Amino acid sequence: MYERYLHHFNEKVPLTQEEWELIQNYLTLKKLRKRQYLLQEGDVCKLVAFVEKGALRLYNVSENGTEHIVLFAVEGQFMTDLYSTFSGEPSIYNIDAIEDSELVLITRTASDELRKLSPKYQEFAFLETSEAYIQLAKRMTSVISLSLEQRYQELITNYPNIVQRVPQHMIASYMGLTPETLSRVRKRMSNTK
Amino acid sequence: MYERYLHHFNEKVPLTQEEWELIQNYLTLKKLRKRQYLLQEGDVCKLVAFVEKGALRLYNVSENGTEHIVLFAVEGQFMTDLYSTFSGEPSIYNIDAIEDSELVLITRTASDELRKLSPKYQEFAFLETSEAYIQLAKRMTSVISLSLEQRYQELITNYPNIVQRVPQHMIASYMGLTPETLSRVRKRMSNTK
DNA sequence: TAATACCGTTGACTTTGGTCAACGGTTTTC
DNA sequence: GAAAACCGTTGACCAAAGTCAACGGTATTA
C-alpha cells in the first residue's frame, strides 16, 4: 500500500524515512468498486485522491441528462474538485470509479496542515498543482487548435491504453463529441493510414 | 509601482513590511507597448508576469498561419508558459501585449529561490497556481458542455469588459471559432433577448 | 488628408458534426 | 441460461459551423 504514491513522491521530492512517516500519518487508503462514487453533485469536496490503481472520472450532468467528462485520472494521477475544496461550496461534479480502484486520500484540511509542517510536502503539493495546470493547458491548446483526428491521436499518446480501458462513449464525452461522431473519426483514421 | 501586485498578495497572504521588502528585491517592472512580445515561439520561457495594467495574450500559430489564443491575462492576473518554465524546453507559444501594459516580472529561478526563503511567498505561489488551475478547469467544463451562446455569456461575466478592450476576432480565436461565427452568435443573442 | 490596412458583418455555399433509428454483438443481471 | 441492458457502428437526414467573397466603416500611417 502507498507504493505508487511514495514512489511518485520520491521521484519529485526525495524523502527520508522520518519525513515519510510523518506524511503517511495524514493519508488514508480507500478502495472503490466500479461505478462507486467518490463525490456526488451537491456535496462539498473535502478530499484529494491519488490513484494507486484503477481509474476515475470527474463529470457533470447537463439539464437534458447528458454526462460531460471533464477529467480522467489513472494510476499516478490526482483527482479532486479543486474549486469546491478551496471555496467550500457544493460541487457541480460527480467523481466515480471507471474500474475497481485503490486510492490514497488526504483531506483538504490535513493537506493544509501538512503543508505547514513539512517543506517537502509543501513542495510536492506545489509541483503537483503545477503539473495538473500544465496538463490542462496543453489540452485546452489542442481543443482550440487541432482537428478531431489530431486530438484523438494526442489523447492516445497521453493515455496510451485508455482506449482499452475506457468505453468509447466516455472518450467521446471527454472530447465533447457524440459517440457516433467519435466512431466515424476512428473509422476515417483507420481508412486513411 | 507594484501597487496592484502588493494589494493582490496582501489579500491572499498578508505581509509585514519586512517580508514585502524581501520579496520586492526579486521583482522587476517592465512596460510593454501594444503588439510587443514578452515571449516568442522557440524561446525558452524564463519569466512569470503579473499584469499591473493592460492585457496580454498567449497564443500559438498553426501551420496554415491561424492564431489560436489559449489565454488572456488582464490586470491582477498572471501570465507565463508554465510548461516551458518548468521543462526548460522552447515554447510553442507567443505572448504579446494587446494593449500598452505594465508588468511585474519574476524569473523562474528567482521564484524558486524566493519560495525557499519566504513561506509567505511559497504560500502565495501555491494559491495562485491553484487558482489558475481552477479557472482553466472551469473553462474546460464550459467548452465541453455548453452552447456557444452560453460560453460567450460566461466569458463576459468572467471578463466583464473584455468585449470593449479586445478585438472581436481575438475573442473568436479564444473560443476556437472563426470571426464570422462569433459575429453570428452575437447577432442571434441580440435578436432573441 | 489621402491612401491603406484592418475589422466586423452579411450572403451564398460547403463541410462537419449532431440526431434519430436500427442492427448485431457483448456483458450484466436475475 | 434466458432476458435485459449496454455498446459500438452505420445510414439517412438535419443543424451548426467553416469558407469565400464582398461591403462599408474605422483606425493607422505616410
Side-chain angles (χ1 to χ4, degrees):
Chain A
M1 63 224 271
Y2 301 122
E3 291 87 6
R4 198 183 278 267
Y5 183 90
L6 176 57
H7 180 256
H8 196 70
F9 206 129
N10 264 317
E11 269 197 347
K12 310 235 161 167
V13 186
L15 289 175
T16 66
Q17 183 62 27
E18 305 88 75
E19 286 165 342
W20 168 238
E21 275 162 19
L22 170 67
I23 290 169
Q24 200 175 340
N25 287 333
Y26 289 81
L27 307 175
T28 57
L29 285 171
K30 174 156 187 161
K31 297 195 178 191
L32 222 58
R33 302 287 299 277
K34 185 174 176 173
R35 301 230 143 227
Q36 257 192 301
Y37 286 100
L38 185 65
L39 173 73
Q40 291 203 22
E41 187 181 340
D43 294 346
V44 174
C45 183
K46 301 186 189 259
L47 295 167
V48 177
F50 174 86
V51 182
E52 280 278 326
K53 189 165 168 305
L56 306 179
R57 68 209 253 253
L58 178 147
Y59 63 100
N60 68 358
V61 182
S62 56
E63 298 167 17
N64 59 42
T66 323
E67 294 179 356
H68 302 279
I69 298 178
V70 179
L71 276 180
F72 291 120
V74 297
E75 291 85 359
Q77 295 185 315
F78 284 89
M79 173 63 93
T80 187
D81 175 359
L82 201 61
Y83 175 73
S84 178
T85 69
F86 263 86
S87 66
E89 295 194 19
S91 181
I92 61 170
Y93 302 107
N94 301 277
I95 299 175
D96 69 12
I98 300 176
E99 309 169 350
D100 293 353
S101 299
E102 292 175 27
L103 310 176
V104 177
L105 301 182
I106 185 166
T107 65
R108 169 72 199 177
T109 47
S111 180
D112 284 346
E113 206 177 303
L114 193 49
R115 275 173 42 235
K116 291 193 185 102
L117 290 177
S118 163
K120 296 273 182 82
Y121 182 81
Q122 170 80 284
E123 180 67 7
F124 181 62
F126 176 76
L127 291 178
E128 282 303 326
T129 310
S130 301
E131 194 166 289
Y133 176 86
I134 288 170
Q135 203 181 352
L136 205 53
K138 187 178 176 193
R139 180 158 154 234
M140 186 60 77
T141 302
S142 73
V143 166
I144 64 166
S145 59
L146 298 183
S147 69
L148 294 186
E149 276 86 347
Q150 289 170 314
R151 285 172 56 198
Y152 185 71
Q153 196 54 58
E154 199 171 272
L155 175 68
I156 291 174
T157 50
N158 291 340
Y159 294 88
N161 43 20
I162 194 90
V163 180
Q164 282 63 263
R165 295 173 65 177
V166 173
Q168 201 169 298
H169 70 270
M170 288 193 188
I171 294 176
S173 165
Y174 179 81
M175 293 179 70
L177 304 175
T178 60
E180 293 95 331
T181 297
L182 181 57
S183 172
R184 287 173 181 127
V185 167
R186 282 163 47 89
K187 192 178 183 188
R188 278 205 304 267
M189 289 173 72
S190 66
N191 287 343
T192 53
K193 75 144 200 258
Chain B
M1 61 223 275
Y2 300 123
E3 289 88 4
R4 198 183 282 266
Y5 184 90
L6 177 57
H7 180 255
H8 195 70
F9 206 129
N10 264 317
E11 269 197 349
K12 311 234 161 167
V13 186
L15 289 175
T16 66
Q17 184 61 29
E18 305 88 76
E19 286 165 342
W20 169 238
E21 275 160 19
L22 171 66
I23 291 168
Q24 200 175 339
N25 286 333
Y26 288 80
L27 308 175
T28 56
L29 285 171
K30 174 156 187 161
K31 296 196 178 191
L32 222 57
R33 303 286 301 276
K34 185 175 175 173
R35 303 227 142 232
Q36 258 191 299
Y37 286 100
L38 184 67
L39 173 71
Q40 290 202 17
E41 188 182 340
D43 294 346
V44 174
C45 183
K46 300 184 191 257
L47 295 167
V48 177
F50 175 86
V51 181
E52 280 278 327
K53 190 167 168 303
L56 306 180
R57 68 210 253 253
L58 177 147
Y59 63 100
N60 69 356
V61 182
S62 56
E63 297 167 16
N64 59 41
T66 323
E67 293 178 356
H68 302 280
I69 298 178
V70 179
L71 277 181
F72 291 120
V74 297
E75 290 86 358
Q77 295 184 314
F78 283 88
M79 174 63 92
T80 187
D81 175 359
L82 201 61
Y83 175 73
S84 177
T85 69
F86 263 85
S87 66
E89 296 194 18
S91 181
I92 60 169
Y93 302 107
N94 301 277
I95 298 175
D96 68 12
I98 300 175
E99 309 170 352
D100 293 354
S101 300
E102 292 175 27
L103 310 176
V104 178
L105 302 182
I106 186 166
T107 64
R108 169 73 198 174
T109 48
S111 181
D112 284 347
E113 206 177 303
L114 192 48
R115 276 174 40 235
K116 289 189 186 108
L117 290 177
S118 164
K120 296 275 183 80
Y121 182 80
Q122 169 81 283
E123 180 67 7
F124 181 63
F126 177 76
L127 292 178
E128 282 303 326
T129 310
S130 301
E131 195 166 291
Y133 176 86
I134 288 169
Q135 203 180 352
L136 204 52
K138 189 177 175 192
R139 181 157 155 235
M140 186 60 78
T141 302
S142 72
V143 165
I144 64 166
S145 59
L146 299 182
S147 69
L148 293 187
E149 277 85 349
Q150 290 170 312
R151 284 172 58 197
Y152 185 71
Q153 196 54 57
E154 200 171 272
L155 176 68
I156 290 173
T157 50
N158 290 340
Y159 294 88
N161 43 20
I162 194 89
V163 181
Q164 284 61 263
R165 295 173 64 178
V166 173
Q168 202 168 300
H169 69 271
M170 287 192 188
I171 294 176
S173 165
Y174 178 81
M175 294 179 70
L177 304 176
T178 61
E180 293 95 329
T181 297
L182 181 56
S183 171
R184 287 173 181 128
V185 168
R186 281 163 48 89
K187 193 178 182 188
R188 278 205 303 267
M189 289 173 73
S190 64
N191 287 344
T192 51
K193 77 147 198 263

